[in-house]
Amino acid sequence: MKIYFLSSIPCALTLGGAYFGTVNGFERFIELSPKDSLFALFTPEGALPVGFFITENLRFSPPDGCEVYLLKDGIAVYVKNFPPADFSLKVVAQQRFGKTLATVFRQGALQLSLETEKGLFLLPLSPAFGQAKLLFESGVLFIEGRGALMAVDADGEVLFEEKVLSYSLKNGTFNATMPLSDSLRRTAEGEWAITENGLYQTAFSIRQEEDGRDREALLKELVPYAFFESVLLGADYTAYLSDELKARAAEIKEFLGNFVAVVPTKNEGECGLVRKKDERLFEVAYFSAEIKDGKITDIKG
């Protein structure tokens, strides 16, 4: 069985005491049998390590601080949170916007303290916000980290949290370019209107660097992801469907079911839809789309 390893921050991975390499946001994998019960140890810089035995139990009970994804060819273990090594209080960034006070601080874990007219809210932050810049636009707090961006409203609700290559805030509009974790150099571009009630997406598209392929080949890679992502976000996904399938748009959405994320795959026209099974446990369902003249003519799962 293939075991994929990922982590939120770079760390050294040892398996059964042997050094396997550096692990980060791009997966490394190994084929092994859970019956071997190898001990995996993730050791980062500036935090305590996370370790666990690789057994069949991973499929049902993710280790503390980890998320487990059930794939068609194995499982992926993502070490999301490492135990802190330092519990002293350190303010990373602080900014007041009118009656709102936002503070990013570290006391063991990295956190956001948000004081608004609606109350005091504490939110955990990923390591990407260990160096943070605080911005305020149309009633929404934006936190810029290392290659990441987060948006929080006055009720302490997270409206947006993604890796970003670039972004802009202007006149109540938020634009972001986000990397897709695949080998095809694809990026997602989105636009949102910022209102008192949150962020509302007004545009979404997928782009890819030119590499000599013709338009039809590129569309077969870009359209499926844009379609599934639009279904997830509640955007107008019918624009990607052929005239015949548009009449079955509601039926198609029901066929796909509920999912919390979309991941590209190495197969043409195929994407993985991530479904939540339990706390920190996810399962990936695979769907493929057939493309003709830039439109989806069939979806199979």
Side-chain angles (χ1 to χ4, degrees), residues 215-287:
R215 181 176 181 274
E216 187 68 22
L218 287 174
L219 288 174
K220 287 181 179 180
E221 293 175 355
L222 304 182
V223 170
Y225 186 94
F227 165 74
F228 292 120
E229 187 76 3
S230 295
V231 173
L232 172 64
L233 296 172
D236 180 17
Y237 59 89
T238 61
Y240 301 101
L241 301 176
S242 65
D243 291 339
E244 182 180 353
L245 285 189
K246 281 183 180 180
R248 302 171 56 193
E251 181 183 338
I252 290 173
K253 186 174 182 180
E254 184 177 352
F255 169 65
L256 297 178
N258 295 323
F259 54 100
V260 298
V262 181
V263 292
T265 73
K266 295 180 180 179
N267 299 325
E268 184 180 278
E270 182 186 66
C271 288
L273 307 188
V274 181
R275 310 190 196 282
K276 185 173 182 178
K277 287 177 63 71
D278 207 338
E279 191 66 29
R280 297 182 287 111
L281 181 62
F282 303 86
E283 185 172 32
V284 181
Y286 297 86
F287 290 84

Side-chain angles (χ1 to χ4, degrees), residues 21-246:
T22 301
V23 177
N24 51 31
F26 291 91
E27 74 273 6
R28 296 173 65 93
F29 75 88
I30 187 173
E31 292 203 33
L32 53 82
S33 171
K35 295 179 181 179
D36 296 334
S37 296
L38 282 180
F39 188 74
L41 185 66
F42 297 75
T43 306
E45 182 180 9
L48 298 179
V50 168
F52 51 85
F53 286 99
I54 300 174
T55 67
E56 285 289 352
N57 194 47
L58 281 178
R59 290 182 170 274
F60 313 101
S61 180
D64 290 342
C66 301
E67 294 178 347
V68 170
Y69 296 80
L70 307 180
L71 313 174
K72 62 182 177 182
D73 63 344
I75 63 174
V77 181
Y78 173 53
V79 185
K80 188 175 183 180
N81 299 310
F82 290 86
D86 183 0
F87 284 86
S88 60
L89 176 62
K90 298 178 181 177
V91 175
V92 175
Q94 187 175 64
Q95 188 71 49
R96 181 177 291 278
F97 306 98
K99 296 182 179 180
T100 296
L101 177 64
T103 306
V104 175
F105 69 97
R106 187 187 299 276
Q107 190 169 26
L110 189 65
Q111 302 177 70
L112 167 69
S113 169
L114 184 63
E115 299 178 51
T116 74
E117 292 182 298
K118 298 184 178 182
L120 172 64
F121 307 96
L122 287 176
L123 288 81
L125 297 176
S126 77
F129 298 99
Q131 296 178 352
K133 178 181 178 181
L134 304 177
L135 305 165
F136 200 71
E137 176 69 28
S138 302
V140 174
L141 170 67
F142 288 85
I143 310 171
E144 177 187 328
R146 296 187 304 274
L149 190 71
M150 185 175 183
V152 184
D153 68 12
D155 292 308
E157 294 291 328
V158 177
L159 307 176
F160 179 92
E161 185 177 4
E162 296 284 350
K163 294 179 180 179
V164 297
L165 298 173
S166 63
Y167 75 95
S168 65
L169 301 169
K170 186 177 181 181
N171 299 327
T173 300
F174 162 47
N175 290 275
T177 299
M178 298 155 285
L180 300 179
S181 298
D182 65 356
S183 60
L184 299 174
R185 303 185 304 279
R186 291 179 285 191
T187 59
E189 297 187 357
E191 180 180 283
W192 292 261
I194 309 172
T195 74
E196 294 181 354
N197 298 318
L199 298 180
Y200 292 89
Q201 189 168 58
T202 55
F204 180 82
S205 62
I206 304 294
R207 294 188 181 276
Q208 181 170 7
E209 294 181 19
E210 295 291 340
D211 57 4
R213 281 173 290 179
D214 60 28
R215 181 176 181 274
E216 187 68 22
L218 287 174
L219 288 174
K220 287 181 179 180
E221 293 175 355
L222 304 182
V223 170
Y225 186 94
F227 165 74
F228 292 120
E229 187 76 3
S230 295
V231 173
L232 172 64
L233 296 172
D236 180 17
Y237 59 89
T238 61
Y240 301 101
L241 301 176
S242 65
D243 291 339
E244 182 180 353
L245 285 189
K246 281 183 180 180

